[in-house]
Amino acid sequence: MLNIDLRSDTVTLPTPAMREAMARAPLGDDVYGEDPTVNRLQDLAAQMLGKSAGLFVPSGTMGNLASVLAHCGRGDEILLGHLAHTFLYEAGGIAALGGVHPRTVQNQPDGTLSLDDLRAAIRADDAHFPPTRLIALENTHNRCAGTALPVAYGHAVRALADEYGLKMHLDGARLFNAAEALGVSAQELAAPFDSVTFCLSKALCAPVGSVIVGDQAFIHRAHRARKQLGGGMRQAGVLAAAGIVALETMVERLKEDHARAQLLAGQLAELPGIILDSGLPQSNMVYVTLDETVRLDGKAMQEKLVGLGVKVGVVASRRFRLVTHYWVDDAAIVATVTAFRQALAGEML
Ligand code: TLP
């Protein structure tokens, strides 16, 4: 029986090299700052992204939350996209735990926020309003089909933020995918931002963890926020060791995932009943929708596919997300298209 899991790149298991590194990692108590492997990962991440300091955190969600807490006080306002992961899928943590007021701006289909919309959303200094403190962007943009936001766009938002004295945070959960998609370095993409969170446990295959990077003063505050959130871990070097392997050996290969996503998208689009509604993917995410000629809804289609050994994510009543990753090879792409064809057979109006 096939077992192809395209629900997310979060399902990636660690590679044999990661398991090996985890077993051998020198360890210490990271709450005392004494885990040499965590320290090495943090330094490596900061250097790769061109910032002066890094902080290992258990998840992307905690990375974004600790960053927002480090930038904002209670009652401050953050501007972010209406489709931002932090707004939609992080359990409202910034409001629940930080008292930070989220104000959404419409995401454009390419994942950006228009400069005019952002400018219009920045509050005047008036006692009626929460003070605008932070702009948060996402790259690649998950709900905008894995689009990559270009370097120039980041700098344009930076210029606006500087006009108003605002800070900028990047949810770069898949920053290395964005860099690969655009043919630029992660450092160039990170440059306009005061802080960046990126994930080791998505396409880079590490089992656990994300890193926040920024300047020393920011990381000092984020470190306290991490402790408040219960994210101070002890011999976390067993996890960080896999993260080092991820950064050293898994970045280059992301282009393979992107090529497979394009292949998958192109072949699914040729099937009757399937619409590739966001066009050919820029990174590792394929979003497709069932048109009105298909009798099944998303859930029923998903179940049929599971029966055929293929797992996909349902993101709306007739819309799916399929994410390519290290454990999805060329044969899996062929098998997935075949499974879609079989699932649709006899279900067309
Ligand atoms: N995204 C997950 C789900 O939560 C939707 C996925 O399968 O894609 N930022 C972005 C852009 C993300 O896509 C995710 C995870 C996170 C942050 C949170 O990372 P974790 O899961 O490590 O807390």
Side-chain angles (χ1 to χ4, degrees):
M1 167 81 171
L2 284 176
N3 184 15
I4 301 169
D5 196 342
L6 294 156
R7 287 172 300 169
S8 182
D9 47 10
T10 60
V11 303
T12 45
L13 299 175
T15 63
M18 287 177 185
R19 290 181 188 264
E20 176 72 18
M22 292 168 82
R24 283 189 284 101
L27 303 175
D29 189 328
D30 181 50
V31 171
Y32 296 138
E34 290 173 4
D35 188 303
T37 310
V38 171
N39 291 339
R40 216 181 116 210
L41 170 67
Q42 292 175 162
D43 290 347
L44 177 63
Q47 179 222 317
M48 285 175 81
L49 270 67
K51 305 290 185 201
S52 55
L55 184 71
F56 185 48
V57 288
S59 66
T61 300
M62 191 185 287
N64 288 331
L65 177 54
S67 298
V68 172
L69 294 180
H71 284 303
C72 301
R74 299 187 72 77
D76 284 348
E77 190 163 76
I78 175 178
L79 301 182
L80 75 181
H82 78 297
L83 297 175
H85 193 277
T86 299
F87 182 64
L88 290 179
Y89 298 121
E90 294 175 13
I94 57 171
L97 304 173
V100 177
H101 195 250
R103 184 169 197 194
T104 57
V105 172
Q106 186 84 13
N107 275 110
Q108 302 301 308
D110 65 359
T112 61
L113 309 174
S114 93
L115 295 180
D116 287 345
D117 288 351
L118 273 173
R119 188 184 290 278
I122 296 170
R123 306 280 192 168
D125 183 9
D126 179 316
H128 292 84
F129 302 145
T132 312
R133 196 70 66 198
L134 181 66
I135 298 174
L137 301 177
E138 186 176 315
N139 202 7
T140 60
H141 201 291
N142 186 341
R143 285 303 304 271
C144 294
T147 44
L149 279 54
V151 175
Y153 173 71
H155 285 291
V157 178
R158 175 81 262 172
L160 179 68
D162 285 346
E163 255 184 70
Y164 294 89
L166 307 181
K167 298 291 183 191
M168 280 173 64
H169 173 69
L170 180 65
D171 176 355
R174 298 182 179 83
L175 184 65
F176 289 97
N177 293 83
E180 170 53 40
L182 295 165
V184 299
S185 67
Q187 185 165 333
E188 285 170 272
L189 287 171
F193 295 88
D194 298 289
S195 58
V196 179
T197 301
F198 73 90
C199 295
L200 300 160
S201 64
K202 298 194 167 57
L204 298 180
C205 260
V208 177
S210 296
V211 185
I212 312 171
V213 296
D215 69 21
Q216 298 281 356
F218 165 80
I219 290 294
H220 184 74
R221 296 195 302 277
H223 190 264
R224 175 165 291 121
R226 185 187 71 173
K227 189 70 189 151
Q228 289 175 328
L229 298 170
M233 299 182 286
R234 302 294 177 172
Q235 287 72 38
V238 282
L239 303 173
I244 293 169
V245 176
L247 286 180
E248 288 182 341
T249 69
M250 302 299 282
V251 172
E252 272 291 300
R253 59 153 306 282
L254 293 175
K255 54 171 141 348
E256 298 171 25
D257 297 344
H258 297 188
R260 289 196 181 99
Q262 294 226 351
L263 199 69
L264 179 61
Q267 296 191 8
L268 287 178
E270 283 174 15
L271 299 179
I274 302 278
I275 306 169
L276 186 61
D277 40 12
S278 305
L280 275 182
Q282 266 186 280
S283 64
N284 65 342
M285 294 184 183
V286 180
Y287 279 85
V288 290
T289 300
L290 298 177
D291 73 18
E292 66 292 343
T293 65
V294 180
R295 251 197 299 264
L296 299 170
D297 68 4
K299 270 264 163 272
M301 180 75 178
Q302 183 189 39
E303 274 164 31
K304 273 194 107 174
L305 289 167
V306 167
L308 295 163
V310 175
K311 293 180 185 153
V312 300
V314 180
V315 295
S317 62
R318 298 172 73 81
R319 190 164 193 237
F320 307 100
R321 185 185 72 161
L322 294 81
V323 187
T324 55
H325 54 74
Y326 180 74
W327 299 101
V328 174
D329 59 11
D330 288 339
I333 300 296
V334 175
T336 299
V337 176
T338 304
F340 265 81
R341 192 177 290 113
Q342 286 173 356
L344 289 167
E347 303 289 359
M348 308 298 292
L349 290 175

